[in-house]
Amino acid sequence: MTPTVADVVSAVELLWPAAGAESWDAVGLVAGEPDAEVSSILLAVDAVLDTVDEAVSTGAGVLLVHHPLLLRGVTSVAADRYKGAALTRLIRGGCALLAAHTNADVVARGTSATLAATIGLEDARPIVPGAGNPSLGLGRVGRLSQPVSLGRLARALAEALPPTATGVRVAGDFDRQVSTVALCAGAGDSLLAHPDVLAADVYITSDLRHHPASEAAENARVAGGPALVDVSHWASEWLWLENAAAELRSALPGVDVTVSELRTDPWDFAVTQ
């Protein structure tokens, strides 16, 4: 029997339970007919027009994304604006839209865990443990097998992550030796003051704004603290998609599960000075 959209939703719930999502999040089925049959699933970080068109053109029955399309309220889904156009194309193309966001961040093979494994962190544990299960939670902190320079770690990240216009930005001494690493895939400035982050040699995350980054760097000069490494939000979470695809293939035998190679990082180029 061919799986349905409802079967995909059930599989996603088992892999990334909605109960693990933050209270402000909007995960689960966004659009689609639960009884529709699904022979293929496309995974992407973002439901932008390019990934929507890719899903429809390849005949995917479900577009599974990390970032919810309707995270914030809208008053219209008319097709003359981005979100309405995306939903219109998906509905007309018979492709459901499903989101696994912060519920996919906290699991054992989630976004931060994948980033930690990519750089070889040992004994990695969550920065913010989940309620009732300390092995699950937001972010990860652990140790490298041996100390490396901050510059070498940044170069390793640049090689491991898919390329983007903004690349890898670093606040800290290039030759500083680092061993303890804290990280949060995606936007992680909310954890800058966490004790585990402050105790680390380096903190890797995305979307660091001027004032929080400047304050953290200046505080590190006075009282000690981590170097900062800022990477593309999209790139840091794109790594997780292959883990997610593998888990879905096991949960839904016979369904073709693929990962979009399209870059949905919003920046097209940078001019260095």
Side-chain angles (χ1 to χ4, degrees):
M1 181 179 295
T2 303
T4 63
V5 169
D7 293 325
V8 178
V9 172
S10 296
V12 166
E13 174 63 22
L14 288 173
L15 293 170
W16 312 296
E22 296 291 307
S23 60
W24 49 262
D25 207 356
V27 301
L29 187 64
V30 179
E33 171 54 56
D35 293 334
E37 294 186 343
V38 176
S39 59
S40 64
I41 301 171
L42 178 68
L43 273 63
V45 174
D46 301 290
V48 294
L49 296 178
D50 284 346
T51 53
V52 164
D53 288 343
E54 180 183 16
V56 172
S57 67
T58 58
V62 173
L63 173 60
L64 173 62
V65 293
H66 185 51
H67 294 148
L69 179 66
L70 302 180
L71 179 59
R72 294 177 177 83
V74 296
T75 59
S76 171
V77 289
D80 63 350
R81 59 207 71 190
Y82 149 54
K83 292 186 179 183
L87 288 171
T88 298
R89 295 180 193 186
L90 286 167
I91 292 169
R92 286 179 173 171
C95 181
L97 179 62
L98 183 59
H101 191 209
T102 53
N103 51 323
D105 289 333
V106 299
V107 294
R109 296 186 66 196
T111 55
S112 289
T114 300
L115 182 57
T118 298
I119 64 172
L121 277 197
E122 299 179 349
D123 301 320
R125 57 178 175 79
I127 295 173
V128 182
N133 190 341
S135 67
L136 306 180
L138 292 173
R140 290 297 185 272
V141 59
R143 297 184 66 84
L144 299 171
S145 60
Q146 59 184 20
V148 299
S149 70
L150 179 60
R152 182 177 174 186
L153 176 62
R155 172 54 61 187
L157 275 167
E159 292 174 351
L161 295 171
T164 59
T166 51
V168 176
R169 303 187 300 174
V170 183
D173 184 349
F174 186 96
D175 294 320
R176 175 179 177 175
Q177 294 294 294
V178 297
S179 179
T180 303
V181 179
L183 58 83
C184 181
D189 61 4
S190 64
L191 300 179
L192 278 170
H194 192 282
D196 284 343
V197 173
L198 293 175
D201 298 321
V202 58
Y203 181 46
I204 303 167
T205 191
S206 303
D207 297 345
L208 287 178
R209 295 167 294 150
H210 173 89
H211 291 294
S214 177
E215 183 173 333
E218 292 302 306
N219 279 332
R221 294 179 63 186
V222 175
L228 302 177
V229 178
D230 184 273
V231 300
S232 158
H233 188 133
W234 165 78
S236 71
E237 295 179 328
W238 183 85
L239 294 173
W240 165 74
L241 295 181
E242 193 51 58
N243 274 351
E247 292 182 297
L248 280 172
R249 292 181 191 114
S250 295
L252 297 165
V255 175
D256 183 30
V257 183
T258 57
V259 172
S260 175
E261 299 286 338
L262 296 177
R263 185 189 69 194
T264 58
D265 184 271
W267 304 109
D268 293 314
F269 65 91
V271 179
T272 58
Q273 296 173 297

